[in-house]
């Protein structure tokens, strides 16, 4: 992608309960090209910020919202880029939503 | 060896309309390094969208940003329309384009005003905002709200434009153009503006592409890329050619926006003159299923929406990649090497919208 001079548009993370689905979107002459990979929730995933520097923002955002750790991420906000220290952790994960509901029911 | 100082620039700073923090490492008066501090206006909007039903999300999407709110609702609605296979009536598409370009005009005028304020031209700031007020009045007359219109809905538009209003709009656009054309030579030729902006914050064509810049930031570096070239809505039928500048500095980014205001006014006039007759809203039924990526050009650049749905009413995932999010890495590339006094101008030149950025 880098060799073809594609522009990184974004990375989209979706929680599939048992794993996370990452979609890397690139723009090549106004055409969107998507690459889709699955990541395990509790294993660090390789960062592409070494190749595409611009990816550091979106990878930090995914780290905040989904708790997926990235290897060799720089700068690494340790999961506190958007969220403050006292905010709930990994708010976009499905289980958190369900746990919240159960607590409400009790 | 000169001593290094760390300066926290923002989150509260007179030139920033919104809270962005830049931790600047400064060697004498030269900036060596910049690290952004985000999260001051993070609202968890993407999560909120998963809890709402998909009709309520139109209003949520509009509130991502106060300036380009109409384009957020248009993009969101067109995502849902694609999932439900709704054909939007042509009149509604043209009305959407009119309001979208109107919000581009008012967003660029707002930015040009703030930009003038950043290098100390208070009277130019007032002039830009005075013209912008007329755009807001037009939005109020045609859409019902000054900033957040809430006229875009799934399947079309909520409000029609009658014949008297259409004529009044054409007249008003011509007057806005006349007023703005008196300011254009100031932005293009003024000595003190050129002194503050030419050669400041240069972003090369290669860097702009590899760092993923979008919108005026990308086009000012000589890249011919505009999401409107994709031809969504009525853009395939009107005369449209993206504005491209070669300089890559703050001056070029200003020139791109000045020309885009004139171009947007031209597009509004074209759309008003060609406005087709007919319905403004299509009926729809069906179940939301599938996923869709949609790109549109906002005043600040290309925006990407991702909507995934498998349940009936709620969305599984709603993701927005706003233009400021893409323009922050190029900003971090521009800052090292500049003077501390140029930081406000360079930061403003990407038109940062932090509430978009953090959602």
């Amino acid at each position: 992608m880098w060799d073809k001079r594609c522009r990184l548009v974004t990375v989209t993370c979706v929680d599939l309960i048992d794993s996370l689905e990452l979609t890397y979107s690139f723009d090549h002459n106004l055409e969107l090209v998507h690459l889709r990979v699955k990541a395990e929730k509790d294993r660090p995933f390789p960062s592409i910020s070494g190749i595409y520097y611009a990816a550091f923002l979106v990878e930090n955002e995914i780290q905040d919202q989904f708790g997926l750790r990235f290897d060799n991420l720089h700068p690494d906000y340790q999961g506190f880029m958007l969220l403050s220290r006292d905010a709930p952790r990994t708010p976009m994960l499905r289980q958190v939503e369900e746990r919240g509901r159960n607590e409400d029911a009790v | 060896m000169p001593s290094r100082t760390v300066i926290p620039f923002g989150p509260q700073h007179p030139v920033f309309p919104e809270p962005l923090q830049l931790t600047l490492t400064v060697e004498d008066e030269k900036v060596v390094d910049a690290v952004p501090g985000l999260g001051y206006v993070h609202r968890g909007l993407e999560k909120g969208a998963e809890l709402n039903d998909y009709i309520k999300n139109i209003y949520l999407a509009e509130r991502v940003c106060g300036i380009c709110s109409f384009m957020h609702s248009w993009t969101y609605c067109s995502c849902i329309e694609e999932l439900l296979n709704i054909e939007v009536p042509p009149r509604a598409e043209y009305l959407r384009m009119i309001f979208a370009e109107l919000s581009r005009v008012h967003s660029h005028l707002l930015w040009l005003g703030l930009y003038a304020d950043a290098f100390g031209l208070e009277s130019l700031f007032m002039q830009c905002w005075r013209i912008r007020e007329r755009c807001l009045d037009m939005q109020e007359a045609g859409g019902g709200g000054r900033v957040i219109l809430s006229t875009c809905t799934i399947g079309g538009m909520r409000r029609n434009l009658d014949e008297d209003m259409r004529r009044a709009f054409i007249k008003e656009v011509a007057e806005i153009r006349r007023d703005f054309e008196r300011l254009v030579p100031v932005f293009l030729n003024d000595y003190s503006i050129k002194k503050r902006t030419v050669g400041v914050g240069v972003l090369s064509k290669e860097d702009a592409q590899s760092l993923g810049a979008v919108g005026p930031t990308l086009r000012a570096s000589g890249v011919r890329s505009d999401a409107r070239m994709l031809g969504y809505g009525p853009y395939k039928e009107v005369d449209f050619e993206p504005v491209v500048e070669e300089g890559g500095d703050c001056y070029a980014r200003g020139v791109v926006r000045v020309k885009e205001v004139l171009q947007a006014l031209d597009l509004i006039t074209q759309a008003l003159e060609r406005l087709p007759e007919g319905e403004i809203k299509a009926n729809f039924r069906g179940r939301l299923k599938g996923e869709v990526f949609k790109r549109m050009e906002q005043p600040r650049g290309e925006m990407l929406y991702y909507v995934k749905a498998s349940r009936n009413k709620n969305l599984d995932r709603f993701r927005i990649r706003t233009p400021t999010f893409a323009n922050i890495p190029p900003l971090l590339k521009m800052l090292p090497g500049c003077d501390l006094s140029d930081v406000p101008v360079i930061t403003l030149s990407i038109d940062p919208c932090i509430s978009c950025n953090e959602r």
Side-chain angles (χ1 to χ4, degrees):
Chain A
M1 282 295 157
W2 176 261
D3 294 335
K4 282 189 183 169
R5 307 175 69 82
C6 291
R7 177 169 63 83
L8 175 71
V9 178
T10 196
V11 186
T12 308
C13 185
V14 180
D15 186 8
L16 302 175
I17 310 288
D18 52 343
S19 63
L20 295 170
E21 178 190 86
L22 295 172
T23 310
Y24 292 76
S25 311
F26 297 89
D27 174 285
H28 186 62
N29 295 332
L30 285 174
E31 205 179 316
L32 270 186
V33 184
H34 304 293
L35 293 177
R36 187 160 275 179
V37 284
K38 277 192 181 167
E40 286 174 43
K41 280 182 177 171
D42 42 8
R43 290 215 356 229
F45 195 73
S47 164
I48 61 162
S49 61
I51 308 165
Y52 280 99
Y53 172 67
F56 86 90
L57 269 181
V58 69
E59 286 180 347
N60 270 302
E61 190 185 72
I62 292 171
Q63 192 164 282
D64 277 24
Q65 295 179 331
F66 292 91
L68 178 66
R69 305 290 299 184
F70 282 91
D71 270 338
N72 301 324
L73 178 59
H74 178 77
D76 189 352
Y77 290 81
Q78 304 289 339
F80 296 103
M81 183 176 83
L82 291 176
L83 302 175
S84 58
R85 297 270 163 189
D86 52 352
R89 311 300 313 144
T90 61
M92 294 291 282
L93 283 181
R94 283 279 157 71
Q95 287 92 326
V96 176
E97 183 187 336
E98 281 152 20
R99 196 171 60 220
R101 278 198 197 137
N102 292 341
E103 280 165 10
D104 285 349
V106 172
Chain B
M1 170 135 180
S3 63
R4 288 195 171 188
T5 321
V6 176
I7 299 180
F9 197 84
Q12 304 299 329
H13 191 280
V15 299
F16 286 168
E18 287 178 278
L20 168 69
Q21 191 188 26
L22 291 168
T23 308
L24 302 173
T25 310
V26 182
E27 217 166 63
D28 291 339
E29 283 288 304
K30 286 265 183 253
V31 177
V32 196
D33 190 28
V35 180
L38 304 167
Y40 292 96
V41 282
H42 175 63
R43 291 151 287 164
L45 218 132
E46 288 179 359
K47 184 71 188 172
E50 289 173 14
L51 306 175
N52 281 344
D53 68 53
Y54 70 97
I55 304 279
K56 276 187 184 168
N57 278 344
I58 307 171
Y59 310 107
L60 192 70
E62 272 188 325
R63 279 154 180 81
V64 171
C65 170
I67 308 297
C68 31
S69 69
F70 187 81
M71 298 196 187
H72 279 289
S73 58
W74 185 8
T75 321
Y76 175 73
C77 288
S78 62
C79 283
I80 301 293
E81 281 153 10
E82 199 169 311
L83 285 178
L84 291 173
N85 287 323
I86 306 168
E87 196 154 320
V88 182
R91 188 179 174 88
E93 288 281 40
Y94 269 83
L95 286 173
R96 284 174 176 184
M97 178 182 152
I98 290 166
F99 286 112
E101 290 301 323
L102 206 54
S103 58
R104 191 184 313 279
V105 173
H106 98 73
S107 168
H108 278 352
L109 283 169
L110 175 130
W111 178 81
L112 287 166
L114 291 172
Y115 185 53
D117 191 43
F119 46 66
L121 268 174
E122 291 284 336
S123 61
L124 192 57
F125 160 73
M126 295 285 182
Q127 292 293 340
C128 286
W129 281 46
R130 185 177 61 82
I131 303 171
R132 175 178 176 258
E133 203 61 26
R134 301 182 82 139
C135 296
L136 296 182
D137 289 345
M138 275 171 80
Q139 292 198 347
E140 190 175 12
R146 277 164 61 82
V147 178
I148 292 182
L149 300 175
S150 299
T151 50
C152 197
T153 183
I154 295 166
M157 290 286 278
R158 214 182 286 277
R159 271 190 179 216
N160 208 340
L161 209 63
D162 61 23
E163 185 55 28
D164 291 345
M165 188 87 87
R166 192 181 73 91
R167 291 220 184 94
F169 265 35
I170 293 177
K171 211 171 139 212
E172 186 74 11
V173 168
E175 283 178 22
I176 292 174
R177 172 183 275 276
R178 194 199 59 211
D179 279 1
F180 184 67
E181 273 174 353
R182 286 162 62 195
L183 300 184
V184 171
V186 184
F187 279 109
L188 299 189
N189 306 326
D190 187 80
Y191 172 78
S192 48
I193 294 182
K194 278 188 158 179
K195 188 92 181 153
R196 284 300 303 273
T197 56
V198 174
V200 173
V202 181
L203 185 71
S204 68
K205 192 174 175 175
E206 289 71 33
D207 282 345
Q209 259 176 333
S210 64
L211 292 170
V214 293
T217 315
L218 180 64
R219 290 194 286 280
S221 294
V223 183
R224 189 172 171 276
S225 171
D226 189 315
R228 283 175 288 177
M229 285 155 70
L230 295 168
Y232 58 85
Y235 286 106
K236 53 186 175 296
E237 293 159 20
V238 295
D239 300 327
F240 169 73
E241 182 60 35
V243 180
V244 179
E245 286 288 321
E246 295 294 332
D249 51 6
C250 290
Y251 177 73
R253 289 190 275 279
V255 173
V256 167
R257 288 189 177 95
V258 168
K259 289 185 178 166
E260 279 191 359
V261 171
L262 296 170
Q263 184 192 47
L265 290 170
D266 182 49
L267 287 171
I268 297 169
T269 318
Q270 280 188 49
L272 284 167
E273 279 167 356
R274 294 184 189 183
L275 194 62
E277 293 296 325
E279 290 289 309
I280 56 161
K281 193 175 178 306
N283 291 327
F284 64 92
R285 58 188 304 178
R287 281 167 158 248
L288 277 181
K289 199 164 172 57
E291 55 176 343
V292 58
F293 282 93
K294 199 102 194 169
R295 286 191 289 171
M296 282 199 188
E297 187 77 9
Q298 270 196 348
R300 291 167 180 80
E302 168 208 82
M303 165 174 71
L304 179 125
Y305 263 57
Y306 172 71
V307 172
K308 183 181 180 189
S310 62
R311 293 175 281 174
N312 207 0
K313 270 189 133 181
N314 300 69
L315 305 179
D316 284 352
R317 180 80 167 104
F318 176 60
R319 162 138 174 87
I320 314 168
R321 201 297 316 268
T322 53
T324 308
F325 200 80
N327 276 334
I328 283 185
L331 170 70
L332 302 178
K333 174 81 187 174
M334 289 176 218
L335 285 174
C338 76
D339 280 337
L340 185 59
S341 57
D342 286 333
V343 172
V345 179
I346 296 174
T347 311
L348 273 186
S349 78
I350 67 155
D351 199 356
C353 177
I354 306 305
S355 57
C356 266
N357 184 34
E358 293 172 6
R359 303 172 306 284

